[in-house]
Amino acid sequence: MASTRTTDMDFLATIGNSTLYTFHSHTEFCDGRAQMEAFAREAVKQGFTHYGFTPHSPVPFHSPCNMSADNVERYLAEVARIQREYGDRCRFYAGMEIDYIDENWGPANSYFKWLPLDYSIGSVHFIHSQEGELVDIDGHYDSFRRKMETKFHNDLRYVVETFYRQSHNMLSEGGFDIIGHLDKIGHNASHHHPGIEDEAWYQALVNDLIDHVIESGVTVEINTKAYADHQGRLFPARRHIPRLLAAGVPVIVNSDAHVPALINASRNIGLDLLH
């Protein structure tokens, strides 16, 4: 199995006893809705000790949510500027949320290996339709429902199984430090088919992925982005967190904020689950 880690960063050792941190956030460089400066100021204002920027990575096709490769150098320069200006009050990090597409494009790709990142998140947002078209299955359920009809022939099992297969492939190829929202497909899938996460075949898929995560040594995030707006939803779902902790998997709590006011949103819920 390929090594998953791409840096020597030990997140639990880095944060120590601090609870005011996040290593997942999005700004003007991708689909975030404010400039990095505004996030940095808010982090300092709230007393954060560690703050990581993670724009959605460049991908080899047009995506309005992803950073252009042409902007990577400017992004890194802006992180360096923020580190100089605010680094005496909060440690800021240059990260990236790297989309796994297939064996030709993902965190293990040589392009990302040579970027001077402090760490990276590996995530699955796109899968191939039955006809081979890449489709973004992230985002609001209304969009997901339309794509189920127009892109996937309403075959929800195909979508779910493909998401988890992509996640396994990403783990096997490695090159990243944190696995992003590892069961996120369960959210839209549950809207489309209530109760799906209680079905044996779905639970088997999640448990197989958790087995792989445990073997990999990768850090898992409890992602709190959807908690307030989606009936208390966390990623991974609450039911899976005790198993990860019992296995000694390093777990951190990230807000995945897209606006400065939400950098600490619902993180107290995730932090409570760590004890």
Side-chain angles (χ1 to χ4, degrees):
M1 182 183 298
S3 173
T4 299
R5 289 179 60 80
T6 186
T7 73
D8 293 325
M9 188 165 177
D10 182 331
F11 294 93
L12 296 182
T14 297
I15 60 178
N17 293 324
S18 175
T19 59
L20 286 170
Y21 66 84
T22 187
F23 293 95
H24 194 162
S25 67
H26 298 283
T27 70
E28 82 272 22
F29 283 95
C30 56
D31 60 347
R33 297 191 289 277
Q35 294 186 336
M36 287 174 64
E37 174 80 17
F39 284 87
R41 289 179 177 176
E42 186 65 23
V44 169
K45 177 182 176 182
Q46 292 197 33
F48 270 56
T49 57
H50 304 274
Y51 195 93
F53 297 105
T54 52
H56 291 290
S57 70
V59 288
F61 51 87
H62 173 70
S63 168
C65 293
N66 288 72
M67 178 168 58
S68 165
D70 293 338
N71 283 330
V72 171
E73 185 174 349
R74 187 165 65 90
Y75 158 67
L76 294 170
E78 180 64 0
V79 177
R81 184 193 69 80
I82 285 172
Q83 289 170 336
R84 290 192 300 271
E85 183 166 348
Y86 299 100
D88 60 333
R89 286 162 283 178
C90 176
R91 291 184 62 183
F92 291 93
Y93 302 84
M96 188 173 287
E97 184 175 15
I98 303 174
D99 273 292
Y100 181 83
I101 306 301
D102 54 31
E103 65 275 10
N104 297 312
W105 193 266
N109 185 282
S110 59
Y111 170 77
F112 298 110
K113 288 182 178 180
W114 291 105
L115 290 179
L117 300 173
D118 295 314
Y119 68 94
S120 63
I121 299 173
S123 295
V124 175
H125 298 100
F126 299 88
I127 67 170
H128 287 90
S129 71
Q130 293 93 326
E131 286 71 38
E133 179 183 358
L134 272 171
V135 182
D136 184 354
I137 56 169
D138 201 51
H140 197 275
Y141 173 67
D142 288 343
S143 173
F144 182 83
R145 176 180 51 78
R146 290 192 297 270
K147 290 170 183 174
M148 284 299 303
E149 296 173 357
T150 61
K151 305 294 185 181
F152 295 112
H153 311 289
N154 273 319
D155 188 344
L156 183 59
R157 185 155 183 162
Y158 169 85
V159 171
V160 169
E161 289 179 343
T162 302
F163 173 88
Y164 283 109
R165 183 167 60 251
Q166 288 283 89
S167 299
H168 278 289
N169 291 343
M170 180 177 72
L171 277 166
S172 294
E173 293 176 28
F176 62 98
D177 303 284
I178 302 170
I179 185 167
H181 40 64
L182 68 85
D183 66 342
K184 195 172 186 184
I185 189 60
H187 176 61
N188 277 332
S190 293
H191 279 291
H192 203 73
H193 179 72
I196 191 173
E197 292 180 280
D198 296 322
E199 295 180 9
W201 69 272
Y202 183 95
Q203 291 186 27
L205 291 173
V206 181
N207 284 320
D208 285 348
L209 182 60
I210 292 175
D211 286 341
H212 200 164
V213 166
I214 292 169
E215 294 169 5
S216 74
V218 71
T219 295
V220 171
E221 67 169 8
I222 297 178
N223 186 306
T224 65
K225 177 187 174 184
Y227 187 86
D229 294 332
H230 298 287
Q231 296 87 42
R233 180 74 201 215
L234 298 170
F235 307 112
R238 288 171 181 260
R239 69 178 79 181
H240 306 303
I241 294 171
R243 184 179 171 212
L244 291 164
L245 295 173
V249 173
V251 178
I252 58 176
V253 182
N254 288 333
S255 59
D256 193 359
H258 288 58
V259 296
L262 298 180
I263 62 172
N264 202 28
S266 303
R267 289 189 61 261
N268 61 309
I269 305 299
L271 289 166
D272 286 346
L273 294 175
L274 299 182
H275 303 292

